[in-house]
Amino acid sequence: QVQLVESGGGSVQAGGSLRLSCTASRYPDLRNCMGWFRQVPGKEREGVAAIYSGTSTTYYADSVRGRFTISRDNDKNTMYLQMHSLKPEDTGMYYCAADDFCSRDTWFLRRRYNYWGQGTQVTVSS
């Protein structure tokens, strides 16, 4: 069973930066497709970014493109989400997700990911 653990969340003011990490508990549990989702109470969990190792392709939601960068370090079994120019609307619980495949048409679909972390809270104040 793949186990994913997120870290790096916290509270920042608008305009600030945070870096989230997602570490797989065992090697080689960092799957080919790794993604970040976020959720606020009362709303659907939405895809933020994903990275597919098969083609070294990254995907971003329009709302974060240009501000967030997703990356992975396979040697450390860890994926990252570097977040800059944070906005209050970036507030939410951020979840790491993993599966074997993703594409431009599927990376943002929650149901396509079989493995999830417990989440790390990001709060951005205005």
Side-chain angles (χ1 to χ4, degrees), residues 7-9 18-22 36 79-81 83 94 120 122:
S7 62
L18 283 173
R19 188 177 79 158
L20 306 184
S21 299
C22 171
W36 288 98
M79 173 182 67
Y80 304 97
L81 185 68
M83 306 184 293
Y94 281 68
T120 185
V122 172

Side-chain angles (χ1 to χ4, degrees), residues 75-93:
D75 291 338
K76 295 182 178 180
N77 234 23
T78 300
M79 173 182 67
Y80 304 97
L81 185 68
Q82 179 67 56
M83 306 184 293
H84 293 299
S85 302
L86 283 162
K87 304 176 181 180
E89 51 264 44
D90 294 319
T91 294
M93 185 69 77

Side-chain angles (χ1 to χ4, degrees), residues 1 4 8 40 47 53 61 64 70 75 84-86 99 101 108 111:
Q1 181 73 20
L4 304 172
V40 296
S53 65
V64 306
I70 190 171
D75 291 338
H84 293 299
S85 302
L86 283 162
D99 209 83
F101 177 79
F108 52 89
R111 66 178 184 271

Side-chain angles (χ1 to χ4, degrees), residues 4-121:
L4 304 172
V5 179
E6 303 95 335
S7 62
S11 297
V12 296
Q13 290 191 329
S17 299
L18 283 173
R19 188 177 79 158
L20 306 184
S21 299
C22 171
T23 300
S25 60
R26 303 172 306 189
Y27 178 86
D29 279 348
L30 209 61
R31 288 296 195 260
N32 285 334
C33 181
M34 301 292 298
W36 288 98
F37 285 71
R38 67 187 179 193
Q39 188 170 22
V40 296
K43 291 190 176 182
E44 293 290 322
R45 192 171 297 186
E46 63 172 352
V48 175
I51 183 167
Y52 180 55
S53 65
T55 57
S56 299
T57 302
T58 55
Y59 307 97
Y60 296 95
D62 289 343
S63 60
V64 306
R65 187 175 290 111
R67 299 187 298 121
F68 291 10
T69 302
I70 190 171
S71 62
R72 59 191 291 164
D73 185 335
N74 292 334
D75 291 338
K76 295 182 178 180
N77 234 23
T78 300
M79 173 182 67
Y80 304 97
L81 185 68
Q82 179 67 56
M83 306 184 293
H84 293 299
S85 302
L86 283 162
K87 304 176 181 180
E89 51 264 44
D90 294 319
T91 294
M93 185 69 77
Y94 281 68
Y95 296 91
C96 168
D99 209 83
D100 292 323
F101 177 79
C102 56
S103 69
R104 181 182 61 184
D105 298 324
T106 65
W107 73 267
F108 52 89
L109 298 174
R110 178 180 179 178
R111 66 178 184 271
R112 294 300 298 262
Y113 293 82
N114 287 320
Y115 307 104
W116 292 87
Q118 295 300 307
T120 185
Q121 178 68 34

